[in-house]
Amino acid sequence: MSIYTQLGVRTIINAADSYTILGGSLLPPEVVKAMEEASRHFVYLDHLHDEVGKRMAQLTRNEAAMVTNGAAAGLAISVVACITGDDRDKITEFPALNGMKSEVIVHRCQRNNWEHVIGYLGVQLVEIGDEDSTMLRQLEEAITEQTACIVYFTSQSFDAHAIPLQDVISIGKKHNIPVIVDAAAQLPPVHNLWTYTGMGADLVIFSGGKTLRGPQSSGLVVGKSELIRACRLNSNPNMSVGRPMKVGKEEMVGLLTAIDRYVHLDHEAQEKRYIQIAKYFCEENKKLGFDTEFVDSGPTGQSYPRAAIYLKATDGKSAEQIVESLKNGNPSIWTRLTENKQGFYINPLHLQDEEIRIVQRQIENLLFGPTNR
Ligand SMILES: *Cc1c(COP(=O)(O)O)cnc(C)c1O
């Protein structure tokens, strides 16, 4: 019996996305194997951090890299690193901010739940711009002696209203203020692992438990050596604000293995597979009389396709009802409502081959009743 059966916890088919509430992503066998091997021996954790960091930096074409306890922890640690640097006294004193810079600049139009992570640190968020636009001048005016860093969230949904990242980086350099990019979900394309740092961003953060398919509780921070060093000093195993955001030896080795796998993947073949799956859902549901749409990007602009299936008023059920019924069905299938709530997306990113037909059959059963198909 599987562990989940023993526990009485049902497993879920994920046609939605990399959601933390569903467990992030699934670990490839080579990642599990590496973690299992790592679990059999003691090591000096700082030494492992060093060596894993070096290899991750090489693989992602960056100066330096480190594993954190998720991207959210990576964001917290990165901000603290910009405040304390490698000053041991400041690291020990934090979150008391005596004599330390305490302001973090963010875009109003990029406000999202992840800013709470910065708020927890007791620093002040300084907003620039409004929902619809942000001007370079507003960034320049927001910079004071107290500015510790600028945090930038990359996502297609914000792009039109924010200052372009390249300009933010130029201003940051001019004033000697580091720019942190939260790119937690911005894979694929794989080159994002080095594109933002290549543009001059100081620290860039990725989730380990999303498309990288590392441990759910892992995150990757890449960037300037000096700042990664400050991140390390603010992290486990050092007594610091990062100590409760512990990363174990298994997660370190697991994330490194996942990154190694990811950068060497046949991304073209992978994309082809995603396209095939998304097209399959579009075609099958079109045959059933629904409007379908092949959407060529992920929810925040990532380069993977999705199928959108729209219900008509005459179908008798709302898209919301379908999404709920799929969740509550057997097997339980998670999809995502479209932004206009008229339909739902099916995302190939985490679908196993054998699950594809199951998902389609379930949709048909829900809409037309069980058949002997
Ligand atoms: C998912 C996400 C995070 C958090 O990532 P974890 O690895 O789950 O901590 C942070 N920021 C953004 C923009 C995200 O999409």
Side-chain angles (χ1 to χ4, degrees):
M1 252 209 301
S2 90
I3 185 72
Y4 292 125
T5 313
Q6 285 177 46
L7 291 168
V9 173
R10 68 200 309 223
T11 56
I12 290 164
I13 293 180
N14 183 357
D17 211 316
S18 314
Y19 290 165
T20 290
I21 44 167
L22 297 186
S25 52
L26 300 183
L27 299 180
E30 57 265 50
V31 175
V32 177
K33 182 163 172 283
M35 292 176 77
E36 197 197 324
E37 278 178 34
S39 75
R40 292 199 205 111
H41 301 279
F42 290 102
V43 289
Y44 186 60
L45 212 60
D46 259 331
H47 187 199
L48 182 62
H49 242 317
D50 287 344
E51 295 307 317
V52 165
K54 264 187 230 165
R55 284 166 179 75
M56 292 194 314
Q58 263 169 8
L59 287 167
T60 63
R61 309 182 195 180
N62 281 289
E63 239 179 79
M66 73 174 289
V67 186
T68 58
N69 178 219
L75 179 56
I77 298 283
S78 296
V79 170
V80 180
C82 294
I83 294 171
T84 66
D86 61 1
D87 184 325
R88 305 260 175 180
D89 292 335
K90 287 185 178 172
I91 290 169
T92 312
E93 274 175 44
F94 190 91
L97 287 162
N98 307 326
M100 299 183 214
K101 294 180 176 180
S102 59
E103 292 177 3
V104 176
I105 297 178
V106 292
H107 277 72
R108 166 104 195 135
C109 65
Q110 292 183 351
R111 282 212 81 131
N112 62 88
N113 289 329
W114 300 109
E115 281 171 2
H116 290 299
V117 171
I118 307 170
Y120 298 151
L121 302 169
V123 300
Q124 198 193 331
L125 285 169
V126 177
E127 278 187 358
I128 55 169
D130 56 34
E131 302 293 345
D132 304 320
S133 77
T134 322
M135 279 170 304
L136 216 53
R137 174 181 54 77
Q138 294 172 312
L139 173 57
E140 296 246 36
E141 284 167 6
I143 293 172
T144 71
E145 305 238 296
Q146 282 303 308
T147 307
C149 57
I150 303 164
V151 174
Y152 196 92
F153 295 89
T154 48
S155 166
Q156 197 181 43
S157 30
F158 306 138
D159 282 355
H161 320 292
I163 301 171
L165 177 58
Q166 193 64 74
D167 296 340
V168 172
I169 290 169
S170 303
I171 301 283
K173 292 215 183 311
K174 183 169 142 200
H175 296 269
N176 208 15
I177 293 169
V179 174
I180 299 172
V181 176
D182 180 347
Q186 297 301 313
L187 296 172
V190 59
H191 66 72
N192 279 349
L193 287 168
W194 51 87
T195 294
Y196 304 122
T197 31
M199 289 168 75
D202 296 272
L203 290 171
V204 183
I205 300 149
F206 298 92
S207 184
K210 291 181 180 169
T211 316
L212 282 173
R213 294 182 63 187
Q216 176 171 24
S217 59
S218 71
L220 169 70
V221 183
V222 298
K224 303 266 154 63
S225 303
E226 197 184 321
L227 279 171
I228 292 286
R229 197 177 113 74
C231 286
R232 284 281 305 280
L233 291 170
N234 276 294
S235 300
N236 163 67
N238 297 307
M239 268 304 166
S240 63
V241 71
R243 177 60 183 78
M245 308 172 204
K246 184 197 265 191
V247 185
K249 56 190 183 306
E250 295 82 6
E251 281 79 27
M252 288 185 198
V253 166
L255 182 63
L256 170 61
T257 309
I259 291 171
D260 196 348
R261 172 186 173 277
Y262 188 71
V263 298
H264 291 112
L265 264 185
D266 184 345
H267 289 278
E268 251 175 62
Q270 171 119 312
E271 195 185 352
K272 246 192 204 152
R273 177 176 175 270
Y274 292 156
I275 290 175
Q276 247 171 20
I277 299 174
K279 284 200 168 145
Y280 166 82
F281 284 109
C282 286
E283 281 158 19
E284 289 299 307
N285 291 290
K286 200 172 190 166
K287 276 189 228 161
L288 298 173
F290 299 112
D291 285 335
T292 62
E293 186 189 358
F294 179 88
V295 180
D296 63 7
S297 61
T300 57
Q302 304 96 324
S303 63
Y304 53 80
R306 295 174 293 163
I309 298 160
Y310 296 99
L311 302 179
K312 303 183 187 105
T314 50
D315 293 328
K317 283 198 173 99
S318 70
E320 257 160 327
Q321 281 173 321
I322 294 292
V323 168
E324 272 314 296
S325 304
L326 284 169
K327 263 188 207 173
N328 297 328
N330 187 20
S332 169
I333 299 167
W334 279 53
T335 56
R336 177 189 173 124
L337 208 58
T338 57
E339 289 72 14
N340 64 11
K341 296 188 171 27
Q342 304 297 304
F344 58 100
Y345 292 114
I346 299 179
N347 184 339
L349 194 60
H350 294 297
L351 276 181
Q352 318 285 303
D353 285 341
E354 65 278 11
E355 293 173 339
I356 298 168
R357 273 167 209 288
I358 298 177
V359 172
Q360 183 55 31
R361 174 116 27 100
Q362 251 338 54
I363 294 170
E364 293 173 17
N365 287 348
L366 269 178
L367 288 162
F368 303 112
T371 62
N372 295 325
R373 251 186 303 261

